[in-house]
Amino acid sequence: MTYVTEGNHGAVPAAEHNDAVAAGQTRAGLSGHGRFGPVIAAVIILLGAGVVLFDAVRIGIAGGFGPQQPGLVPIVVGVGLVVLALAFLVRTTLVPDQDLAAKASSAQEAVHWRTLWTVAFALIVYAFALTPLGYVLATALFIVAATALAGSRAWIRNVLVGVLFALVVYLGFTYLLGVRLPGGILEGVL
Amino acid sequence: MDIFIDLANGFANAFSLQYLLFAAIGVTVGTLVGVLPGIGPALTLALLLPLTYGFDPIGALIIFAGIYYGSLYGGAITSILLNTPGEAGSVATAIDGYPMAKSGRGGPALATAVMGSFTAGIISTLGLTFLAPLVAALARNFQATDYFALMVLAFVSVTALVGSSIIRGMISLFAGLFIGLIGLDFLTGQQRFTFGSPQLLSGVDIIIVVIGLFAIGEALYGLAVLRKAKEESIALKGRIWLNKAERKRVWKPWLRGGLLGFIFGSMPTGGSEVPTFLSYNTEKRISKHSEEFGKGAIEGVAGPEAANNASFSGVMVPLLTLGIPTSATAAIILSAFQIYNIQPGPQLFDNSPELVWTLIASLFIGNIMLILINLPLVRLWIKILDIPRALLYTMILVFGILGVYSLSASLIEVLIACAIGIVGFFMRVYDFPVAPAIIGAILGPMVETQLRRALTISQGDFSVFFTRPLTVALLLLSVAILVVPPLLSKYIGRSSKQLVADQQDQQNRMSP
């Protein structure tokens, strides 16, 4: 049985299993990903914070910044986010946080990026397919696809689980809980 | 004493067949999700929240509380046998629990964890029984400024004491506050942060945030690290019981851990991370066997596991008496209260005594149920560890989408949840704590309400926050937590990191 070795999760997954090279890089904090990943994250956070501050100013101009007016808390949150994002950017560039760099690079080593992006893409396709295909078909297909993308090769098991799960949820929600899930192209059959 | 009469009434209710069944369902589901790696109580409650409209509030809260503390029991099994602690509170358990399992003493380690959890659960529920009415009585005199200061204190302590970086914790908190502000202003009806989208007028449902951050973020992370990770489950052999020598070593750590967990849990310091490491360090310092720590000292399992479980009842004190959640799971329980239009706070004990005391009585009953379903059936729970991970995480994604979809049947909300999930994934990679975001999103609107209420009463004069002694004391305490315990948090944080690192080095050396 290969089940148990199929995967791992936990707060301490990465450092334990890294090969020697990755572990060495982690300790020195020199991994390219470990250095640039947090910088990119900081820039994105700063951009988001800028949008929030901009909109907070707009809210305040429209409704007022006074104690009982709608602009007070948004401007506090907007300024706070920008200041914190700048502080984080400083901690990733000028005064680098070694601890974060080490953690980020070991986490980045542990992640299989193609799996992440393909599964995330499949998830969004699944969301769009729910109504046209119907809950049962879309869910069964997604379960088979996502397990395959994550490296599972137990096709028969995954297809069985996918189809049975989708059917049970659809029938249970429709007939027991009274929640309508989309029937889609199987509308007349179920 | 009134408390005993109230509690007796609570027991009379809790022993009704329906509530006994609900408690049993809650603790069983809780143990299950505790055992499953990657699924925690916060995520489970978020997924179940939309399905509870059919329950009465007491029944729903008995189930939710059961899931919360049941998951703390189940988490010990995963920590000890797999060395993959599901949440911060059970990291300390794995330090000595996993080496114990490796050397063939998994049974006593599990028995210590379960019986310690039970001891601590009873101690801390007693603490809750007697402390909560006192706090509620005190809180009757609280004014808007006090509530504002208390929530600021909760924000600060959740952010500063949990996680490793104050900056990242604060970013997470402020992002949560931003999400809480989206929608119509409650006083003037002005649109805020809606960016022209009519979908956002009613705000972002907290369930979507929780499902995105916990369910989708966690499942994406689990799937993405799957191909490169290997894990080794330790088979369990021999007795699951404690012999005389072991019993002698563990009962004091149980009591100390239980007290630490309850005391730290009931302060607004955010859950179980601080008391579990405090307990571990205490046991290590005062033990006669301190050289065994890190290699399988039974006290190192007994203390932290007791502290972890006791912190649950501690967290219930500010939640029930002040309406202030100090952990992500407590925040979701608060939103369950809000679904039923019940506002936890000092009035809860006057307005809904039946609910409060039935819930507290069910905690005693639930803990007894947990020791019964955990000790004899532990081999059954271990079987669950064999669930293939790829399938497990895929199912979490499917449940997450189902949870959002059953709320609103809206594609936009499903896509928002997916986007939040991808953010949640990167928060895990770059070590941003998730709990402050949830607590910010739930408490943010309440803080704003109290702030503006206080300022309305004072006619816009900010000095009200500096004239009431209690408010000033709470705000000063918040500042102190931000400024002083970088010392404390560094001490606890560094020593815990050091412990984990040492343990990993040891394992790397052991396994070629």
Side-chain angles (χ1 to χ4, degrees):
Chain A
M1 300 282 266
T2 55
Y3 292 3
V4 183
T5 56
E6 233 182 54
N8 179 29
H9 164 74
V12 286
E16 242 180 281
H17 304 297
N18 274 347
D19 51 284
V21 181
Q25 279 180 343
T26 306
R27 293 226 176 83
L30 290 174
S31 161
H33 276 310
R35 187 142 30 118
F36 294 115
V39 179
I40 296 167
V43 171
I44 291 174
I45 294 168
L46 187 58
L47 288 175
V51 172
V52 172
L53 182 60
F54 179 79
D55 209 52
V57 170
R58 208 184 48 74
I59 293 168
I61 289 170
F65 293 108
Q68 284 105 291
Q69 289 168 323
L72 176 64
V73 175
I75 200 76
V76 171
V77 171
V79 170
L81 266 177
V82 169
V83 169
L84 289 165
L86 282 172
F88 184 55
L89 188 62
V90 169
R91 290 295 275 156
T92 54
T93 50
L94 298 175
V95 196
D97 180 345
Q98 295 297 336
D99 193 34
L100 169 67
K103 269 188 198 166
S105 79
S106 76
Q108 281 171 333
E109 294 291 338
V111 168
H112 190 261
W113 291 95
R114 203 183 62 214
T115 307
L116 171 75
W117 294 120
T118 49
V119 172
F121 181 71
L123 191 65
I124 290 165
V125 171
Y126 171 48
F128 276 101
L130 269 175
T131 312
L133 281 188
Y135 186 81
V136 176
L137 209 55
T139 303
L141 286 175
F142 174 74
I143 290 174
V144 175
T147 45
L149 290 171
S152 169
R153 293 288 166 266
W155 294 102
I156 299 172
R157 183 196 72 201
N158 295 345
V159 170
L160 267 179
V161 170
V163 171
L164 283 178
F165 173 83
L167 271 175
V168 168
V169 166
Y170 180 80
L171 296 175
F173 269 63
T174 311
Y175 295 107
L176 294 179
L177 296 170
V179 178
R180 287 294 303 164
L181 294 172
I185 52 180
L186 295 176
E187 184 77 66
V189 188
L190 292 168
Chain B
M1 290 260 299
D2 289 348
I3 290 175
F4 292 108
I5 299 167
D6 288 332
L7 189 62
N9 285 334
F11 269 107
N13 280 328
F15 272 117
S16 76
L17 201 58
Q18 188 195 9
Y19 291 152
L20 281 177
L21 184 68
F22 284 175
I25 293 172
V27 297
T28 310
V29 173
T31 309
L32 176 72
V33 301
V35 174
L36 285 173
I39 305 188
L43 156 60
T44 314
L45 296 191
L47 291 177
L48 292 179
L49 215 44
L51 297 179
T52 53
Y53 295 114
F55 289 81
D56 71 316
I58 299 179
L61 287 169
I62 287 178
I63 292 187
F64 280 17
I67 291 174
Y68 193 166
Y69 59 87
S71 74
L72 301 176
Y73 276 79
I77 299 178
T78 327
S79 286
I80 290 169
L81 295 180
L82 278 186
N83 196 25
T84 54
E87 47 188 315
S90 43
V91 173
T93 307
I95 300 173
D96 276 285
Y98 188 65
M100 277 186 79
K102 265 194 154 173
S103 60
R105 287 154 62 219
L110 284 172
T112 312
V114 172
M115 288 155 73
S117 293
F118 174 76
T119 314
I122 297 296
I123 293 177
S124 62
T125 309
L126 280 172
L128 171 68
T129 308
F130 291 100
L131 187 61
L134 284 179
V135 177
L138 277 179
R140 279 200 191 91
N141 302 319
F142 282 16
Q143 292 174 2
T145 54
D146 302 329
Y147 275 106
F148 173 78
L150 261 174
M151 289 188 226
V152 170
L153 178 62
F155 281 158
V156 167
S157 48
V158 166
T159 310
L161 296 180
V162 179
S164 50
S165 148
I166 290 185
I167 295 177
R168 273 170 277 153
M170 293 283 271
I171 289 177
S172 175
L173 173 70
F174 273 71
L177 291 174
F178 160 68
I179 291 173
L181 284 173
I182 295 173
L184 296 178
D185 175 35
F186 65 97
L187 277 182
T188 63
Q190 189 187 331
Q191 293 187 24
R192 297 196 294 186
F193 298 129
T194 53
F195 303 103
S197 158
Q199 300 271 355
L200 292 177
L201 283 182
S202 55
V204 177
D205 197 318
I206 193 69
I207 297 174
I208 293 174
V209 182
V210 174
I211 288 180
L213 281 182
F214 280 96
I216 298 177
E218 182 74 45
L220 285 176
Y221 188 80
L223 285 170
V225 298
L226 210 53
R227 284 177 192 261
K228 296 193 180 177
K230 289 181 205 74
E231 74 182 11
E232 198 185 343
S233 164
I234 309 261
L236 189 62
K237 298 181 287 268
R239 73 197 153 95
I240 305 175
W241 198 246
L242 297 171
N243 63 28
K244 204 172 168 189
E246 286 161 347
R247 277 202 297 277
K248 220 178 143 196
R249 284 176 64 173
V250 295
W251 69 271
K252 280 184 195 156
W254 283 347
L255 297 182
R256 279 191 292 262
L259 283 175
L260 277 175
F262 179 72
I263 292 168
F264 276 84
S266 58
M267 296 197 278
T269 48
S272 54
E273 191 181 9
V274 175
T276 47
F277 276 106
L278 219 53
S279 165
Y280 186 86
N281 291 340
T282 310
E283 297 309 331
K284 188 175 180 179
R285 208 173 47 240
I286 63 181
S287 169
K288 289 186 201 115
H289 313 272
S290 57
E291 75 289 348
E292 284 179 31
F293 275 75
K295 298 174 200 126
I298 197 161
E299 295 94 335
V301 177
E305 199 49 39
N308 188 23
N309 209 279
S311 70
F312 161 77
S313 299
V315 166
M316 296 305 278
V317 174
L319 179 67
L320 292 177
T321 60
L322 304 168
I324 294 179
T326 52
S327 73
T329 316
I332 297 162
I333 293 185
L334 179 68
S335 58
F337 274 107
Q338 287 165 347
I339 287 177
Y340 293 107
N341 260 329
I342 300 169
Q343 182 55 50
Q347 285 82 27
L348 186 71
F349 284 75
D350 297 332
N351 299 343
S352 322
E354 193 192 341
L355 183 147
V356 175
W357 292 106
T358 310
L359 182 63
I360 292 178
S362 89
L363 301 184
F364 286 105
I365 298 171
N367 269 296
I368 294 169
M369 285 176 173
L370 276 166
I371 200 164
L372 293 179
I373 64 173
N374 269 280
L375 266 192
L377 299 182
V378 72
R379 285 173 207 281
L380 202 67
W381 293 114
I382 291 168
K383 292 253 181 293
I384 291 167
L385 295 176
D386 292 343
I387 289 182
R389 297 293 180 264
L391 205 52
L392 174 69
Y393 292 123
T394 302
M395 298 309 279
I396 296 174
L397 289 176
V398 171
F399 272 116
I401 300 291
L402 179 65
V404 179
Y405 200 88
S406 64
L407 270 183
S408 60
S410 134
L411 175 63
I412 300 285
E413 300 210 325
V414 174
L415 292 178
I416 292 177
C418 292
I420 295 177
I422 291 171
V423 171
F425 169 86
F426 282 100
M427 286 175 78
R428 278 165 182 77
V429 172
Y430 296 122
D431 197 33
F432 282 80
V434 179
I438 304 286
I439 289 180
I442 290 186
L443 276 187
M446 293 162 64
V447 169
E448 191 188 15
T449 311
Q450 299 291 359
L451 174 71
R452 283 162 79 175
R453 182 178 295 163
L455 289 171
T456 306
I457 295 168
S458 76
Q459 296 177 325
D461 183 0
F462 279 90
S463 70
V464 282
F465 293 105
F466 309 106
T467 47
R468 224 178 116 71
L470 181 60
T471 311
V472 175
L474 290 168
L475 287 175
L476 282 179
L477 190 59
S478 310
V479 174
I481 286 180
L482 265 189
V483 181
V484 183
L487 300 173
L488 173 72
S489 131
K490 257 188 192 142
Y491 167 69
I492 293 170
R494 189 180 298 146
S495 55
S496 68
K497 258 174 249 151
Q498 194 57 47
L499 288 167
V500 173
D502 288 351
Q503 181 207 17
Q504 280 166 0
D505 280 353
Q506 238 163 34
Q507 273 158 19
N508 286 346
R509 256 177 270 130
M510 274 191 270
S511 53

